[in-house]
Amino acid sequence: RLTNVSGQELMPRWSPDGSKILFASDWNGNMELYTMNPDGSSQTRLTNNSTGEYYPSWSPDGTRIFFTTDRNGNQDVYSMNPDGSNQVQLTNNSTADAYPTSSPDGTKILFSTQRDGNGELYVMEVDGSNSVRVTNTAASYEQYPSWAAPFAVGSATTGTPISRTMT
């Protein structure tokens, strides 16, 4: 057991170098992001907002963390440094953008969005520019995207891999 607090600890993610575990927790009343050492020591709060932060992921080089927050009234994708500084909003839509995950080379972010009326996967540059839809699935909500070399995307929602090679 690495933590011993009241509340939930969710969505753990190892840092690329294995030195930290990134996770979400509601220890302080709402969902925030934290890191800790692999032995559970040095638990550090990275975010501090009256709303929640969810679905964290690391950049491949460990220099950025991507996450979803609803601090502006709906879910958007943000990035920050591993110490919680330099929080940058990457998406700004009236619908939910969530589940960000970095490409293996660190240049793109795959995420799920409802901006087309149902849940689809989009990819954007790591700075939030050039969003492009990569799925068109009318009957389902694509979420929990993942990357596989060479830049194919997949979704855990439908149970059927979605494959599209990204260049």
Side-chain angles (χ1 to χ4, degrees):
R1 184 175 183 154
L2 300 176
T3 60
N4 191 16
V5 296
S6 62
Q8 303 176 76
E9 293 87 29
L10 305 169
M11 302 165 251
R13 304 286 182 258
W14 284 100
S15 63
D17 68 1
S19 68
K20 296 285 182 188
I21 299 171
L22 170 66
F23 64 102
S25 178
D26 63 357
W27 295 342
N28 295 304
N30 60 299
M31 203 61 69
E32 299 290 350
L33 300 182
Y34 296 80
T35 57
M36 67 180 164
N37 292 334
D39 65 1
S41 66
S42 297
Q43 295 172 8
T44 303
R45 187 174 180 169
L46 304 179
T47 58
N48 188 8
N49 294 290
S50 60
T51 59
E53 274 79 32
Y54 315 89
Y55 316 118
S57 65
W58 292 93
S59 64
D61 64 3
T63 62
R64 298 297 288 169
I65 292 170
F66 305 104
F67 62 100
T68 301
T69 179
D70 54 6
R71 64 178 74 166
N72 292 324
N74 66 294
Q75 292 183 340
D76 282 306
V77 175
Y78 275 64
S79 70
M80 67 179 162
N81 292 337
D83 64 0
S85 66
N86 194 25
Q87 295 185 16
V88 177
Q89 185 173 1
L90 300 179
T91 65
N92 185 8
N93 292 290
S94 59
T95 61
D97 295 331
Y99 313 110
T101 185
S102 179
S103 61
D105 68 357
T107 63
K108 299 191 184 309
I109 300 169
L110 181 63
F111 64 102
S112 179
T113 182
Q114 295 178 349
R115 62 181 73 173
D116 295 317
N118 65 312
E120 299 292 349
L121 299 182
Y122 272 62
V123 67
M124 66 181 164
E125 301 297 321
V126 74
D127 65 3
S129 65
N130 301 321
S131 292
V132 176
R133 187 162 104 182
V134 295
T135 63
N136 188 6
T137 313
S140 68
Y141 183 87
E142 304 299 342
Q143 58 186 0
Y144 308 113
S146 61
W147 291 85
F151 303 142
V153 298
S155 169
T157 304
T158 61
T160 303
I162 299 165
S163 180
R164 178 173 175 186
T165 301
M166 306 302 296
T167 57

